[in-house]
Amino acid sequence: MNQRLQNILNGKTENHLLPFFWQHGEDEAVLRDYMRAINEANIGAVCVESRPHPDFCGPLWWRDMDIILDEARKRRMKVWILDDSHFPTGYANGAMKNQSDERCRKSVTYRIISCERKRRIRLDDELAHPLPVQKSALELGMEKMRGPQPRARIFDDDRLLCVSAMRWDSGQIERRDLTGFVHDGILEWEVPAGNWNVYILHITGNAGYHPDYINMMDAASCRVLIDAVYEPHYAHYKNDFGKTIAGFFSDEPEFGNGHLYVQDNLLGTDQDLPWSAELEDHLRSVWGDSYASLLPLLWDNPPNAAADHLSARVRHGYMDAVTRLLEKDFSLQIGEWCRAHKVEYIGHIIEDNNQHARTGSSLGHYFRSMSGQDMAGIDDIGGQVYPQGEDVTITGQVYGNRNGEFYHYALGKLASSYAAIDPIKKGRSMCEIFGNYGWREGIRLEKYLADHFMVRGINNFVPHAFSPKEFPDPDCPPHFYAHGHNPQYRHFGALMAYMNRVCTLISDGRHAAPAAVLYHGEAEWAGNCMTMEKPCHLLADAQIEYDIIPQDVFIETDRYKTTLGEFLTINSQEYRALIVPYSQFVTNSFANAVQTLLAAGFPVIFIDGLPDAVSDIPPHDTELTALSGRLSGAAIIDLDELVPVLRAYLKKNGGNAIAFSPEHNRLRYLQYIHDDGTQVYFMVNEGTTAWNGSIRFPHTQQCAVYNAWDNQIETVSTHITNDYMEMAAVIEPLKGLIVIFDDTLPSANNKETPRICADAGINLKENWKRSICCAFDYPAFGESKTITLPDTLAGEKPDFAGFVRYERSLTLTGKQLSQPRKIIEITDAYEGVELFINGVSAGIQITPPFRYCIDDLAREGENFVTIEVATTLERQVQPSGFMAAMEASQPGNPLGITGHVILYFGSLDT
């Protein structure tokens, strides 16, 4: 660790950043200039994305890739390739239009006919065609904006899968397969006594919203993507694979059934569902020849307990098969191809509001969808994670509702958890970040987002995006360079350097998490459940670290290196308690694992009750597998009891961890452990006020504070008692704290970051000369105007975006200069700040309060103080298209210095 930290201090960090570099067919000079701009922003890789490119995998594309790779080789950068001509992944560069109907996406559709008060029915048209697909509100809105769009492909191979009847009378289930009664497209049936429903199921390629995409449950269909995109790149750049070319990126692959970006499409709701020949063969082999007569239970919600159990088996069996085929045919097939060709495979699915466990716009199971990838990926786009958004629920958004609890307590942890428990991932997680927040997003919010995900264990990022299209490109801003028009480009580069430093510290080891929380995906398929973010919320607010684990770790024990005993060990992770959010149904393997853990004295905590039964046994089995005996000894608690109960368990079995006094429910921390025993603690305050208190660490070895923004080791005073070390600390919002424990740390440079100034200070509010210029003209500022702070520039020039410069003189006496510390604090400004004393930069800062020690820059007598503030572009560039619907009509950020400039002398309370 000493060498790792020493390398960082010497400016030698690993690269953990690969921003999207969008391609539209720009000329060579533009592409080379953008590779320069990306590299000079402290970034060592790009992910090349067609957005869309006019000639993807054609001569113009290869010309552009030649240029990009040439620049990458010169700059020792890596290149990743987004694996389709446009997102979402699965279009296969249009290759599906030449494929046979059987290779294309298929759906199973459902129609119900009530036979109440009917004794005879006759069906003909209902059997000939599936129900016509109705457009969603979002699809209608897009059509209104863009005009009617012809369907990409029309299929004529619709077929009737099954006609069945079912009744639920008096707690009994009776099913009849009526398919054999269909003759010449007509069904006539004498309805027996009882309340019967008739269900008509069709297989069609004309449902769903992307009929010209690959079928994720068909190995040959998924191979079309490899042949259309991966193989041509290998043919052109074989010698770069595993060298300059690092790998491929899948962006939001989907099953594509139902409606565009519809959420909450759980089983039991009105939708078509994914289908394939492989799925049909699997269900027939497991459920028997009458498998199709069970499928109506995917839609029809059971009215009684007996039906509930049968429904759970059918729904779990269907989704288990769907996601296992997706895992095998898509994720693992591509991942294995990549690794065989010396590159890696990464990406993400749509996780929004727990969509990761559903079909439609996602892939049904987060962990299985990522199974073949070399990093565990997620993404965060506009409006999902934001300061103080933990408990905010918003409905009626363009792309669906927002569940703040999911985004703040589960999203980041999904990726860092899978990175930790899957040996393939080697501890690596990835987040696509910053995209689609609009021009209102600046480096202040970007710093919050970066810390938010890093403190949750994410250690690789795909910033979204660098667009070389002519400025302003309306496509999902912000764009970090914007042909030199973005005032915050240099500040963004400083943020990238900071992120690389932190990510280097939290890589190549493992994070500590005493608690494991069971992933709710399988439980949601089968019945009622509590979603995982509910207990995660309480744990995070109490500073109890946790991972989210799927039930698959108890099925694929060899893959995940799962061992059950006094501790639950999964790959490198060692857990001291397992938390099970309420699940009406669980898998048989999970129940057996719980029994083994309980017998070993390992605590398993069920929230709000035990499960009713297991769901992964075939529907035709008449015996339910008993659970009560196997789960005996487990704790059953209410959700609000979780923290005290868990703390008692952890105290008893040695799960000692960091403790903050006073407690604060917006403090987050990551404990990262390297193989040589070095412990890195990364702490972040996501609240609105500074936290001032003491931190107790379960260590007594040497420690140091590492200032990752200024890249320096700083002095720290500690007190050791018994087996603990205590440290007084201040953690301000937007400013993290890193403490490193190691017996061989580099010595401190006797510097400390100014945090809270002790004296009253001198308010430098008057005699400032203010001038402005746009980013493209910087540093050619215009005429100056004398102002008093706080500035009122936003009222004077409401459409301005660029740089605001403030200048004044400052006279220091010999006595003042002899004070031990001289601090200038800018209490607030929007957004990026750079301070100059006598023409020398004191550095860039991006979060308030902006504090600078000027000891080495100030002189006796007259000093010249210059402050430059970089704004966002939101006042200059008006949103259009969907961005207009997503962004507020009025600017959200002020301009320039909106607080005060204070000069402090003397000591600091740090």
Side-chain angles (χ1 to χ4, degrees), residues 159-180:
R159 65 182 173 93
L160 179 68
L161 177 66
C162 178
V163 183
S164 62
M166 197 175 299
R167 73 182 184 96
W168 311 97
D169 292 348
S170 303
Q172 299 298 312
I173 306 167
E174 186 174 350
R175 294 183 294 112
R176 299 193 182 185
D177 189 339
L178 305 181
T179 310

Side-chain angles (χ1 to χ4, degrees), residues 440-609:
R440 174 177 295 192
E441 177 193 80
I443 35 80
R444 181 185 294 200
L445 176 56
E446 288 164 2
K447 172 64 159 57
Y448 168 87
L449 294 172
D451 283 344
H452 172 98
F453 286 103
M454 290 190 297
V455 81
R456 286 159 176 81
I458 306 299
N459 52 19
N460 293 275
F461 291 89
V462 179
H464 176 303
F466 281 88
S467 174
K469 204 170 187 177
E470 184 179 354
F471 175 80
D473 180 1
D475 185 1
C476 301
H479 306 135
F480 310 123
Y481 180 55
H483 289 278
H485 290 276
N486 191 332
Q488 297 183 357
Y489 163 70
R490 289 185 299 114
H491 308 75
F492 175 80
L495 176 61
M496 296 300 99
Y498 163 81
M499 291 172 66
N500 265 332
R501 293 182 198 116
V502 176
C503 288
T504 300
L505 279 179
I506 60 171
S507 295
D508 301 320
R510 66 179 182 88
H511 65 258
V517 177
L518 190 68
Y519 177 63
H520 71 254
E522 295 91 335
E524 185 181 87
W525 299 344
N528 297 322
C529 72
M530 173 187 290
T531 52
M532 59 195 171
E533 66 267 19
K534 296 296 183 183
C536 292
H537 186 160
L538 298 181
L539 298 179
D541 284 0
Q543 290 85 48
I544 300 174
E545 272 296 275
Y546 57 92
D547 282 338
I548 298 166
I549 64 169
Q551 296 184 48
D552 286 350
V553 301
F554 304 109
I555 300 171
E556 302 172 80
T557 54
D558 288 341
R559 170 178 176 165
Y560 290 104
K561 302 179 181 178
T562 305
T563 60
L564 311 177
E566 182 183 2
F567 303 115
L568 167 59
T569 303
I570 307 173
N571 193 28
S572 64
Q573 299 300 95
E574 186 177 89
Y575 305 107
R576 287 169 165 76
L578 173 61
I579 298 161
V580 187
Y582 176 71
S583 304
Q584 187 180 5
F585 299 97
V586 294
T587 64
N588 201 41
S589 296
F590 174 75
N592 288 336
V594 170
Q595 184 178 30
T596 301
L597 289 168
L598 291 172
F602 180 87
V604 182
I605 303 169
F606 286 85
I607 300 175
D608 289 354

Side-chain angles (χ1 to χ4, degrees), residues 630-895:
R630 286 188 282 174
L631 306 185
S632 128
I636 306 169
I637 65 170
D638 293 335
L639 179 62
D640 59 9
E641 298 177 281
L642 176 60
V643 169
V645 168
L646 183 57
R647 278 179 170 164
Y649 278 126
L650 296 180
K651 184 177 181 180
K652 181 179 179 180
N653 63 15
N656 294 331
I658 191 172
F660 297 88
S661 179
E663 294 183 348
H664 191 298
N665 68 357
R666 291 297 178 261
L667 289 178
R668 314 288 180 225
Y669 88 97
L670 174 72
Q671 180 185 0
Y672 201 83
I673 305 168
H674 288 268
D675 291 343
D676 63 0
T678 300
Q679 306 261 356
V680 178
Y681 286 85
F682 179 38
M683 292 155 277
V684 172
N685 180 355
E686 295 185 345
T688 58
T689 59
W691 176 85
N692 191 340
S694 65
I695 309 170
R696 189 182 70 177
F697 299 93
H699 309 287
T700 58
Q701 65 192 127
Q702 179 184 352
C703 76
V705 168
Y706 171 62
N707 177 343
W709 184 263
D710 293 320
N711 193 27
Q712 62 188 26
I713 296 290
E714 298 180 343
T715 56
V716 59
S717 59
T718 62
H719 176 66
I720 296 176
T721 56
N722 299 325
D723 296 327
Y724 298 95
M725 189 212 75
E726 290 193 6
M727 173 190 299
V730 175
I731 307 177
E732 295 178 283
L734 301 174
K735 298 177 186 286
L737 173 65
I738 297 177
V739 180
I740 301 175
F741 289 85
D742 193 318
D743 290 329
T744 57
L745 285 166
S747 59
N749 57 12
N750 295 320
K751 292 184 178 180
E752 52 186 332
T753 301
R755 297 188 188 277
I756 294 178
C757 299
D759 62 15
I762 301 171
N763 191 343
L764 306 176
K765 64 185 300 184
E766 297 176 335
N767 300 319
W768 290 97
K769 290 183 178 181
R770 182 195 70 202
S771 55
I772 60 175
C773 73
C774 70
F776 201 75
D777 294 335
Y778 179 86
F781 288 87
E783 294 184 4
S784 64
K785 174 183 178 180
T786 301
I787 63 138
T788 299
L789 298 178
D791 198 358
T792 59
L793 179 61
E796 298 174 34
K797 294 186 175 295
D799 298 328
F800 174 74
F803 285 90
V804 189
R805 174 180 282 177
Y806 301 87
E807 300 172 285
R808 63 160 285 170
S809 64
L810 172 65
T811 300
L812 294 176
T813 66
K815 182 178 180 180
Q816 290 173 325
L817 203 62
S818 67
Q819 295 292 320
R821 301 300 298 274
K822 294 158 284 295
I823 306 296
I824 285 183
E825 174 180 293
I826 301 118
T827 60
D828 206 1
Y830 282 83
E831 285 192 335
V833 169
E834 186 169 12
L835 171 70
F836 299 83
I837 302 295
N838 300 317
V840 179
S841 174
I844 285 175
Q845 294 191 25
I846 63 174
T847 57
F850 309 87
R851 297 193 186 99
Y852 292 89
C853 177
I854 62 170
D855 290 355
D856 297 333
L857 302 176
R859 64 194 179 202
E860 185 175 355
E862 188 176 27
N863 292 265
F864 297 96
V865 180
T866 302
I867 302 169
E868 291 179 356
V869 180
T871 76
T872 66
L873 281 166
E874 68 163 326
R875 293 173 180 269
Q876 177 182 335
V877 183
Q878 298 301 311
S880 59
F882 273 114
M883 293 306 301
M886 295 181 67
E887 292 193 55
S889 58
Q890 297 299 317
N893 295 321
L895 295 176

Side-chain angles (χ1 to χ4, degrees), residues 116-132:
E116 188 177 0
R117 293 188 294 275
K118 294 179 182 178
R119 288 295 166 256
R120 190 172 187 275
I121 62 170
R122 185 178 190 276
L123 305 175
D124 45 25
D125 288 344
E126 296 91 340
L127 304 183
H129 304 287
L131 277 171

Side-chain angles (χ1 to χ4, degrees), residues 353 383-386 389 392-394 397 400-404 407-408:
N353 297 326
Q384 293 183 340
V385 175
Y386 58 81
V392 178
T393 298
I394 302 174
Q397 288 187 314
N401 301 331
R402 178 194 185 272
N403 170 9
Y407 289 115
H408 285 255

Side-chain angles (χ1 to χ4, degrees), residues 17-21 38 43 45-48 461-466 480:
L17 307 168
L18 47 142
F20 284 143
F21 181 20
I38 294 169
I43 295 169
V46 294
C47 183
V48 177
F461 291 89
V462 179
H464 176 303
F466 281 88
F480 310 123

